Amino acid sequence: SGFVAFAPDGKTLCWRGIEETATVGNLPKASVRFRLDAHADCLNAAYSPDGRTFASVGENGEAHLWDAVTGEHKTQLRADLEYARLFLAERGERRAPESLSSLAALQSATKNRRVMSVAFSPDGKMLAIGMLHAAQVLVLNAKTLEIEASFSPRDDGQRNLPAVTWDESGDTLFAAGDNSERRSPVYRWSPVKDELQTIQLDSELRVTWFESRFDGGLLVATEDPALIRLDANGAQLYKNEAAIYDFSGQGEQLLINDLGSVAVFSGAAGPAVDLSSRRMQPAYQGSDSLHPPRQSSTGLTISDWRNSLAPKLNNTPLKKHPSELIRSLAIAPDEDSFVLGGEWSVTRYSK
C-alpha cells in the first residue's frame, strides 16, 4: 500500500504509491528531489522532529535512516517487521528496550497479527500499537516496551484495528478498522479512565489512517478512498470521495483487445484501463476487437492466480504487490502477453 509523510516544516514530503518507488519532493508541486531506490519495498516513513533525518521500514523487516536533505543513506537495521515498525515510531532514535523479557512479551502478543501502525503519546511516554489481524490495541511503556494496557472493542464482529492515534492531550486514544458488517467504527478510548465511545463513520471500508486535530476533531482516511473530517464530538463535518472504478469482484468478466494493451471490465460497455498510458477510460475507445478471457495457452501457463496472492508464470512467481489478491486473468490473442486483474490494480505482463 502507499503512504505520505510530511516533514515538520510542511515544505517537504515523502510518498509512495502502489508499486512505485518511495519519493521525496518539495511542496507545493511535489517536485522530485530524490527517490529511495535502495529501499524498493518501503512500507512507511517518518521524519525526525528536526526534519534532518527520516526513517523508513519495509515488508522484509529492514529499517533505514536517510539524510532528509541530500537523500544519503545513513544506516540500516535488520529486524523482524514489528520491531522495524517500532524503530520507525522512534523516528530514528534507536532506544533499545531495557528489558529483553518485555520485548519477548511484545513479540508474543503481536505474533501472526501484523503490526500496522504505531503512535507515541504527545509526552513520548506511551506507545500505542494497532494490528491488522486482531481487534486489539496495545499500549506500551515507550521506554521499556512493557505492555501497560490493552483495548478490545465490545463488538464481536470487529475484525481489526490497524489505525491508531492520540489526541493532543494524550488522555485519549483513537483506534479504527473494519467489522464483519463492512462498517468502519472509530473507537475513542481513555486508557486511564477506561472510558469508551464508538463513532460510526459513513463508510463501508476499513479506516487506513487518521490523525487528531488541534480542535479535538479527527481527519480519517478510508479504503473507499475517502477523507472524512469529524468534529470533537464525533459528528461528520465533510466527506471527500475520489472517483474510482471498482473491478475487485469481476472474476472472469475481463475483456482484452488484440494487442493486450487495454483491459475492459463488466463487458464491452464497462470501464477500460489503458495499460500503456496507465489511464482509466469510462468506456473502451479503441477500434480493434475485444476478446473474452483466455486463461490457457501453449507455452504460457499461468497458475495459482485465482483469488491468490502468489500467481505464477510457468511455475515462476510473478512480481506483484504482496497483499493484493488476483481476481481475473486474460491472455492476449497474440499470446505474447497477459493481464492480471487484482483487487485494486490491473497489470500487464510480457511472456
Side-chain angles (χ1 to χ4, degrees):
S1 59
F3 67 84
V4 174
F6 284 89
D9 62 6
K11 298 179 180 179
T12 306
L13 75 162
C14 177
W15 75 90
R16 177 177 182 258
I18 296 174
E19 295 187 356
E20 293 181 356
T21 302
T23 303
V24 174
N26 295 327
L27 294 172
K29 296 184 178 181
S31 55
V32 175
R33 294 176 57 185
F34 52 84
R35 303 182 189 276
L36 307 187
D37 294 320
H39 200 181
D41 70 337
C42 182
L43 188 67
N44 212 329
Y47 280 84
S48 61
D50 62 10
R52 298 178 181 177
T53 303
F54 67 88
S56 64
V57 297
E59 287 280 2
N60 63 356
E62 290 182 353
H64 298 258
L65 281 181
W66 308 82
D67 186 303
V69 178
T70 66
E72 179 185 357
H73 185 257
K74 300 173 70 173
T75 189
Q76 174 181 342
L77 170 69
R78 183 72 176 93
D80 59 53
L81 181 58
E82 278 66 34
Y83 194 80
R85 288 181 186 276
L86 295 179
F87 173 87
L88 171 63
E90 296 283 3
R91 298 176 183 260
E93 300 178 18
R94 279 201 244 177
R95 295 187 296 185
E98 296 179 351
S99 170
L100 292 178
S101 61
S102 298
L103 180 57
L106 174 61
Q107 291 175 331
S108 175
T110 58
K111 185 177 181 180
N112 299 326
R113 296 183 171 186
R114 191 174 183 189
V115 173
M116 284 298 291
S117 59
V118 286
F120 273 93
S121 59
D123 61 8
K125 295 181 179 180
M126 293 195 296
L127 179 65
I129 294 180
M131 292 176 281
L132 180 61
H133 300 310
Q136 183 182 34
V137 173
L138 301 178
V139 178
L140 315 178
N141 181 304
K143 187 175 182 180
T144 66
L145 296 188
E146 290 182 351
I147 301 173
E148 296 193 347
S150 66
F151 157 70
S152 295
R154 301 182 182 93
D155 178 6
D156 294 334
Q158 189 69 31
R159 295 187 291 200
N160 49 51
L161 289 171
V164 292
T165 190
W166 297 86
D167 71 351
E168 294 292 316
S169 70
D171 295 330
T172 302
L173 180 67
F174 297 93
D178 66 350
N179 60 25
S180 57
E181 297 179 354
R182 290 181 61 83
R183 305 305 297 174
S184 304
V186 173
Y187 299 99
R188 176 185 281 157
W189 174 54
S190 170
V192 177
K193 300 178 181 179
D194 197 24
E195 294 177 347
L196 176 66
Q197 178 190 3
T198 303
I199 304 169
Q200 296 293 345
L201 293 181
D202 178 22
S203 173
E204 294 185 356
L205 292 178
R206 186 175 70 229
V207 171
T208 57
W209 169 90
F210 55 9
E211 185 168 307
S212 60
R213 290 171 44 85
F214 65 90
D215 58 5
L218 281 176
L219 283 176
V220 184
T222 67
E223 284 184 335
D224 293 58
L227 182 66
I228 301 172
R229 181 183 171 189
L230 306 175
D231 66 17
N233 297 317
Q236 180 173 305
L237 298 178
Y238 68 76
K239 180 181 180 181
N240 186 8
E241 297 179 284
I244 62 170
Y245 293 107
D246 181 7
F247 44 80
S248 61
Q250 296 299 324
E252 297 184 359
Q253 298 301 311
L254 172 65
L255 304 180
I256 195 164
N257 69 342
D258 291 333
L259 298 177
S261 60
V262 177
V264 183
F265 296 87
S266 299
V273 181
D274 186 323
L275 298 168
S276 299
S277 64
R278 295 186 175 185
R279 293 183 179 276
M280 297 290 299
Q281 302 170 355
Y284 180 52
Q285 301 172 2
S287 59
D288 51 346
S289 300
L290 294 172
H291 303 271
R294 294 179 56 196
Q295 297 170 347
S296 63
S297 173
T298 303
L300 194 64
T301 303
I302 299 102
S303 59
D304 300 333
W305 63 269
R306 193 185 301 273
N307 299 325
S308 168
L309 295 172
K312 298 176 182 177
L313 170 61
N314 298 330
N315 212 33
T316 299
L318 290 166
K319 184 178 180 181
K320 58 174 287 295
H321 193 281
S323 300
E324 182 177 21
L325 284 170
I326 298 302
R327 301 296 193 185
S328 52
L329 163 68
I331 298 175
D334 60 9
E335 300 185 0
D336 284 336
S337 64
F338 61 94
V339 172
L340 290 178
E343 288 196 313
W344 61 72
S345 69
V346 183
T347 306
R348 182 186 181 192
Y349 296 86
S350 299
K351 185 174 179 180

